[in-house]
Amino acid sequence: MAEQSITQDADPQAIESAPIEETSQATTRLKVNKRPKDDVSDDESEAEQKTEAVNHDNHTANDDDAKSSTMPAPQQQQYPISVFVRIRPLVGDEKENGHESVEYSVSNATQKKSKSKAQTKGKNNKSNGKPNTQNLTLVKCAGRSGTEDKKYINFKSIVLPTHNNEYTFAQVILPSIDNLFVGCDTCAFAYGHTGSGKTHTIFGYDAEHGMYGLFAQELVRRVQALQNDTLIEIRFTELYQDTVRDLLTKDKVECFLREDDKGNVHVRGPTVKYEKDGRVLVKMVTAVHVTETEEIYKHITEGVQSRNVGKSTLHDKSSRSHAFLEFELVNRELVDARAELPEQESILDVQKRKYDLVKKGVAGNKSKLPELEAKVKKLKARIKDLKQIIKKVTNDEHKPYIGSSFVFVDLAGNEFGKDVNMLSNDKQQEEERRKINLSLLALKECIRGLHNKKIRVPYRDSKLTMYLRKYLKGQGSKAIMISNIGPSKHLTKATINTLKYATLIANA
């Protein structure tokens, strides 16, 4: 089927995925390899590869987090994303206006005898799901007459409206915290239509902690139990209308996605040029180091208050940006080395330019060459030492968790004209909606590409997908998708679209 043209209100969830054929081959659980750690070769180029789609600055960031090329990629017999569905209860105006809930049923998957391809060719997939998964059936909501049932299969678990955030955390996040302590990065992202409960799930509301708050409690408990010098580093940014902003700064400093020569994407701060000595330095994104839960809550609460929100049909705190909350386990040695490395590299760049100019006779006195050469050698030696420190610390077999991260992503919901107050004719909301929909459409296309095993997956089509690429590909990492849906019959179309999208990932 030809792809429909994209408009500003194109539905990034409206997909037509081909049926997944049953197979006689047994599904093999993904073996999680240790996360590739920081590994920078001595002769590595000082500048990262520049990507025009991400950053037009002439100066690129040094990669202090380059991954080891010696570690084999995971053998992916199973797609590295665990898909969960969370159904929220009726809320607010839905209750006041007497909305009815969609009727649904949840069942555990049971193994069925596999059919041959000849038997299944041209037929819809009637599989009852993979072992240890759950299926969700929407009753009498499909078909032209709206009288047909619609079944979605292979979800890791389905969280019901009666389940609170603590239950959700125990089912969805808690089992994956162990990954962090064996060196495997994890990303948990919440997806769904606007008003489906994503932000409540990730950040919570009022006194009820979300996934990140409950995670913080457990992480602090485990780190304190280590009784060593491990610190928790947190970074908090948002992607708003194609601009990445640092939420841990008062003025929300603009940040950039920078890709190194190994293809790793990092969030970095602005590029600063020092007029006095000509140094050019790419700032790091703001990072705070904590050891107590209350410290984490304080910083994140301030960051959430800086995040862009708007009004939807359900509430006036609808997220207008994609939020990225990163937790990383570090120690002081790693923090100090990472901070000093870009400083030393920027100084080296200046000294090398001075040396070259003097050597060519363009400027200065050639009698200064030995002194300048000695400075260059000293800087190179220090940079080499710093890289070795980073490599050693992040590849310590006794502390495999140092340098490992757990990321929470709260995606903005895809929206249409009916989801916002169109009477205001707000051009800003219109642009926000367009950017949100296009980024989520790009995410869908990446999932479709991975599902269809395409050689080229279009990660570069969006900054969102560039950020998520590592987790979508499963490069020494795993991902958790929390598909949030609303129960109201008024949201049936949005619910079906979300479940179609989640099913495509669950069956990838």
Side-chain angles (χ1 to χ4, degrees), residues 351-371:
Q351 292 298 323
K352 286 177 67 177
R353 280 189 275 119
K354 284 183 178 180
Y355 177 82
D356 290 339
L357 290 173
V358 173
K359 187 176 182 180
K360 293 175 182 178
V362 177
N365 191 326
K366 287 192 175 183
S367 63
K368 296 287 186 180
L369 280 177
E371 180 183 344

Side-chain angles (χ1 to χ4, degrees), residues 158-364:
I158 296 170
V159 182
L160 302 177
T162 54
H163 296 145
N164 60 14
N165 274 353
E166 286 190 3
Y167 177 91
T168 306
F169 172 77
Q171 289 289 308
V172 178
I173 303 298
L174 184 59
S176 294
I177 297 180
D178 288 341
N179 293 340
L180 184 65
F181 288 86
V182 296
C184 179
D185 292 344
T186 302
C187 174
F189 64 98
Y191 177 82
H193 197 267
T194 183
S196 58
K198 302 179 301 300
T199 300
H200 173 259
T201 296
I202 298 297
F203 292 103
Y205 282 141
D206 301 324
E208 185 180 15
H209 288 302
M211 298 303 101
Y212 106 81
L214 298 168
F215 169 84
Q217 293 176 6
E218 180 64 16
L219 183 62
V220 167
R221 184 188 68 79
R222 295 196 187 194
V223 168
Q224 290 178 345
L226 294 173
Q227 296 184 339
N228 58 22
D229 61 347
T230 302
L231 299 170
I232 300 171
E233 178 173 297
I234 54 177
R235 302 177 293 270
F236 194 15
T237 56
E238 70 171 352
L239 175 59
Y240 175 72
Q241 294 196 39
D242 279 342
T243 300
V244 182
R245 301 197 286 201
D246 190 339
L247 293 178
L248 294 182
T249 58
K250 291 183 179 180
D251 50 356
K252 294 193 287 189
V253 172
E254 183 177 358
C255 300
F256 302 89
L257 294 184
R258 299 183 183 275
E259 185 177 10
D260 62 35
D261 56 357
K262 292 181 175 21
N264 300 308
V265 175
H266 311 278
V267 182
R268 294 289 186 258
T271 299
V272 179
K273 184 174 181 179
Y274 296 93
E275 298 295 338
K276 184 177 180 179
D277 58 8
R279 284 195 301 131
V280 176
L281 177 66
V282 176
K283 292 284 189 178
M284 304 294 287
V285 68
T286 301
V288 294
H289 302 98
V290 297
T291 56
E292 299 291 341
T293 307
E294 292 305 318
E295 294 179 274
I296 297 175
Y297 292 161
K298 176 181 178 294
H299 290 294
I300 302 308
T301 299
E302 291 174 355
V304 168
Q305 291 173 351
S306 298
R307 189 181 176 193
N308 277 278
V309 296
K311 186 174 183 180
S312 71
T313 53
L314 286 178
H315 57 93
D316 59 359
K317 293 182 180 180
S318 178
S319 301
R320 315 303 299 165
S321 66
H322 306 304
F324 311 118
L325 175 56
E326 304 175 346
F327 291 82
E328 184 179 7
L329 296 182
V330 297
N331 58 21
R332 180 51 58 187
E333 187 177 16
L334 177 60
V335 170
D336 292 343
R338 284 179 173 176
E340 184 182 348
L341 180 59
E343 293 280 352
Q344 294 291 337
E345 288 179 326
S346 68
I347 296 172
L348 174 62
D349 183 59
V350 172
Q351 292 298 323
K352 286 177 67 177
R353 280 189 275 119
K354 284 183 178 180
Y355 177 82
D356 290 339
L357 290 173
V358 173
K359 187 176 182 180
K360 293 175 182 178
V362 177

Side-chain angles (χ1 to χ4, degrees), residues 24-36:
S24 58
Q25 296 179 348
T27 302
T28 306
R29 188 173 298 277
L30 174 68
K31 181 180 179 181
V32 180
N33 288 326
K34 281 185 62 177
R35 162 186 175 274

Side-chain angles (χ1 to χ4, degrees), residues 353-415:
R353 280 189 275 119
K354 284 183 178 180
Y355 177 82
D356 290 339
L357 290 173
V358 173
K359 187 176 182 180
K360 293 175 182 178
V362 177
N365 191 326
K366 287 192 175 183
S367 63
K368 296 287 186 180
L369 280 177
E371 180 183 344
L372 291 172
E373 185 176 10
K375 287 183 179 180
V376 169
K377 287 183 177 180
K378 184 177 180 180
L379 287 166
K380 285 185 175 181
R382 180 56 183 165
I383 289 170
K384 180 179 179 180
D385 289 343
L386 290 170
K387 290 179 178 180
Q388 289 299 323
I389 291 172
I390 292 171
K391 179 180 178 180
K392 173 180 68 71
V393 172
T394 58
N395 287 276
D396 186 348
E397 63 180 11
H398 300 295
K399 297 179 180 179
Y401 45 83
I402 297 296
S404 298
S405 60
F406 201 110
V407 182
F408 290 94
V409 179
D410 178 22
L411 298 174
N414 63 302
E415 298 183 342

